[in-house]
Amino acid sequence: MSPKQLEEMYDAVIVGAGAAGLSAALGLLRSPAVARMRRQGVEPRILVVSKLQPLRSHTGSAEGGIAASLGNVESDDWHWHYYDTVKGGDWLVDQDAARLLAEYAPQTVINLERQGVAFSRTDEGRIAQRRFGGHTREFGGEPVRRAAYAADRIGHQILHTLWQQCVAEGVAFAEEWYVTDLVLAEDGGRAAGVVAFDTHAGAVKAVHARNVLIATGGAGRLFHTTSNSWDLTGDGMALALDAGLQLEDVEFVQFHPTGLAHTGILLSEAARAEGGVLRNADGEAFMERYAPGHADLAARDVVSRSIMAEIDAGRGVADPKDPDGPRDCVWLDMTGIDPDRMHAVLPQVVETIEQYAHIDPVSDYVPVKPTAHYTMGGIPVTTRGEVYRWSTDGADGEATRTKVAGLFAAGECSCVSVHGANRLGGNSLLDACLFGTRAGEAMAERIAHEPAGDPTAADDPEALELDGTLSDAVDRSADHRRQDLASLLDASAPHDPADDNPYRLMARLGSLMERALAVRCSAQSIEAALKELDSRVAPEADALHAHDATAAFNQEITAIWEVRHLTTLAGAMLSASAGRRESRGSLRRLDFPERDDERFLAHSMIRSTPVRGSSDGSGEPGYELLWQPVHIVDIPPKCREY
């Protein structure tokens, strides 16, 4: 589905149609500000652009639950959820944002239910809840049932519900359009729109907008083994870097402990919440040694590192499909779960194991290993979703946040910093829905102040001049992209067809990043990866060329742009990892094994500079790396133990 024609100027363009993007659209359209506009006869001009049909967005793969202190199964308190989120993020969490997340989580879940999400139920008819790693009662005490679930298909339920609500609201979608450029005004101070490639028509489109929201999801495809879908190629984060913006805490990538061996396919944390146990080659339930009292339901980074410690100690197991292969897995033992309950509350987990491992989890152990799952960092935003720049060049040397007018971000591609150095299970869907809604409401306030479709403003010379300036910037970017597309399709251009394979290059990049950063890293592994990235991968990405000269439905074109986005993001992630000389949350530095609050209780803020190549943490000359203090409110840092 594509718009029959593009508006001359949109009030807002939302890039991405997962939980964050759809929540933003609904938050905008249902806001008091838009209600006032409509009473005055003005309808906002909104377009949602998605490189997928929305129901294929990665939100649909979320399995286990959405966290909220509903207290439906046992007593709970949002203050406990707030504490768990800060502790889970290893104190790199902005506590003002985490407080909002926890306090408004029950309201967010109840609103989802009222819109149509079919949650599983208790015998009393309430929304059912289960345990999830790192969620406790009494500020770090016993595990608590906080994750609201729909069997093990909560993401599917939420995605379909939000999409149906958007259709009911008349939201216009541009489906299977790939956004290639985020365009800012010449001074970089405000959003101007985006450039997108309509894959159906094979045409580059200039989309002018007074407000833009980026909600493109994560970047799991940076790694060879990932639970992420094929399309999560870090597009939004790379667009921000290419536009001269910063990324925050991008060095923190969560590896989910239980990826099905050598496929990366996620086996939900719900399997352990329902009684699944991790075992090593000796049959030992080893997690009690690493996290007494929490065991298999400790935070994800703790469990992933524990699994790797067992493998490194020689207590790993081989994948039954390759019994003579590497012993780089451990067992997930689900045999203690009642079979009827297993099939009732974990149908997707069971189906995945049976279909891809050819194992019956009722009677057999399942091989698992950590899989790249979630990007904690991203485009820096306020708690209202407003994108900003962090600078240390303020008056009197003061550090400042400068908002980019009309530019917003939400979901996994953004960093409001509620996850810090490690995300708790169930908090990602909550983050996307809650802060996506807040960003939509903030956009609505800007739109109501100066709507593009207001007939009374048609003769305002200042507005006309501004729109003309913004439109010119987008049109110039679109012309450059059309030239790029023409060069990719030009069969007469010099190129080596044997080397023109974006998919093979993406696989090589995934292996490179896995060697460099998966679960653990060091200066040596980072430096080796940066050297290969700069000397081989990036030049080869720039030299890629399409094999077919047809633009329409040419997936190779978008694959080339995707691998270039991944290459851009990889350089920033490696450089930020090099600059953080400590171990915190998901980042385990073998050469700096301790957390260092004195130097690094701060958010990394990295942006590309014209010349690349440095990895020493200074950011020169390849990247500028600044540090922004963490917002500590009322939970002072202390040792993180489970």
Side-chain angles (χ1 to χ4, degrees), residues 546-630:
H547 288 77
D548 191 287
T550 304
F553 296 104
N554 189 339
Q555 290 184 326
E556 191 176 19
I557 293 296
T558 52
I560 290 171
W561 286 327
E562 284 176 333
V563 76
R564 289 176 179 174
H565 280 163
L566 285 170
T567 302
T568 296
L569 185 56
M573 183 177 290
L574 288 163
S575 295
S577 300
R580 185 175 289 278
R581 297 184 176 95
E582 65 160 356
S583 290
R584 184 186 298 268
S586 68
L587 184 70
R588 173 67 172 174
R589 288 286 302 257
L590 299 177
D591 44 353
F592 296 98
E594 302 300 323
R595 194 178 85 185
D596 184 353
D597 286 349
E598 183 176 342
R599 298 175 61 204
F600 294 109
L601 187 62
H603 303 296
S604 67
M605 307 294 293
I606 193 165
R607 74 176 182 93
S608 300
T609 54
V611 182
R612 297 189 182 178
S614 171
S615 63
D616 65 0
S618 66
E620 296 294 336
Y623 294 89
E624 178 189 63
L625 183 57
L626 304 177
W627 299 94
Q628 178 183 183
V630 175

Side-chain angles (χ1 to χ4, degrees), residues 9 181-188 190-195 206-209 465-482:
M9 178 64 69
D181 301 88
L182 168 64
V183 186
L184 305 181
E186 189 172 346
D187 63 359
R190 67 175 298 150
V194 300
V195 177
V207 187
H208 312 102
E465 183 179 1
L466 177 61
D467 281 354
T469 300
L470 299 180
S471 295
D472 288 346
V474 178
D475 291 340
R476 285 194 299 271
S477 291
D479 287 341
H480 291 152
R481 186 56 62 182
R482 291 187 185 103

Side-chain angles (χ1 to χ4, degrees), residues 109 111-119 121 150 154 157-159 161-162:
V109 170
N111 284 343
L112 288 169
E113 180 198 31
R114 289 173 176 171
Q115 292 179 86
V117 174
F119 288 99
R121 299 284 171 176
I154 183 62
Q157 280 288 332
I158 289 175
L159 180 64
T161 297
L162 293 176

Side-chain angles (χ1 to χ4, degrees), residues 5-136:
Q5 64 180 39
L6 290 174
E7 299 281 356
E8 288 186 9
M9 178 64 69
Y10 283 96
D11 286 300
V13 169
I14 296 170
V15 183
L22 298 180
S23 293
L26 293 172
L28 189 161
L29 292 172
R30 293 171 175 174
S31 66
V34 166
R36 290 194 300 271
M37 284 176 54
R38 285 170 166 165
R39 286 195 295 270
Q40 296 167 4
V42 180
E43 186 68 22
R45 298 174 178 174
I46 310 298
L47 180 67
V48 177
V49 180
S50 174
K51 76 173 182 179
L52 302 172
Q53 199 285 330
L55 293 181
R56 293 182 59 221
S57 297
H58 190 58
T59 295
S61 69
E63 298 177 359
I66 177 170
S69 56
L70 298 170
N72 286 351
V73 179
E74 54 188 327
S75 62
D76 201 358
D77 188 307
W78 72 260
H79 294 86
W80 303 344
H81 185 188
Y82 167 43
Y83 173 83
D84 289 338
T85 298
V86 173
K87 177 184 176 182
D90 217 349
W91 272 270
L92 202 71
V93 172
D94 282 343
Q95 294 178 16
D96 52 343
R99 186 182 181 94
L100 285 171
L101 184 84
E103 186 173 3
Y104 289 96
Q107 174 184 308
T108 301
V109 170
I110 290 168
N111 284 343
L112 288 169
E113 180 198 31
R114 289 173 176 171
Q115 292 179 86
V117 174
F119 288 99
S120 296
R121 299 284 171 176
T122 66
D123 292 340
E124 296 78 22
R126 298 175 179 235
I127 295 173
Q129 295 181 273
R130 59 167 51 121
R131 292 177 177 176
F132 246 47
H135 291 279
T136 68

Side-chain angles (χ1 to χ4, degrees), residues 78 81-83 85-86 92-105 108 248 381-385 388 401 414-420 427 430-431 434-435 438 603 628 630-635:
W78 72 260
H81 185 188
Y82 167 43
Y83 173 83
T85 298
V86 173
L92 202 71
V93 172
D94 282 343
Q95 294 178 16
D96 52 343
R99 186 182 181 94
L100 285 171
L101 184 84
E103 186 173 3
Y104 289 96
T108 301
E248 177 178 356
V381 294
T382 70
T383 56
R384 289 166 52 84
Y388 66 86
R401 284 184 174 187
S414 72
C415 184
V416 67
S417 202
V418 291
H419 307 308
N427 274 358
L430 176 59
D431 170 16
L434 194 160
F435 287 106
R438 287 177 62 89
H603 303 296
Q628 178 183 183
V630 175
H631 294 181
I632 305 294
V633 179
D634 53 7
I635 307 178

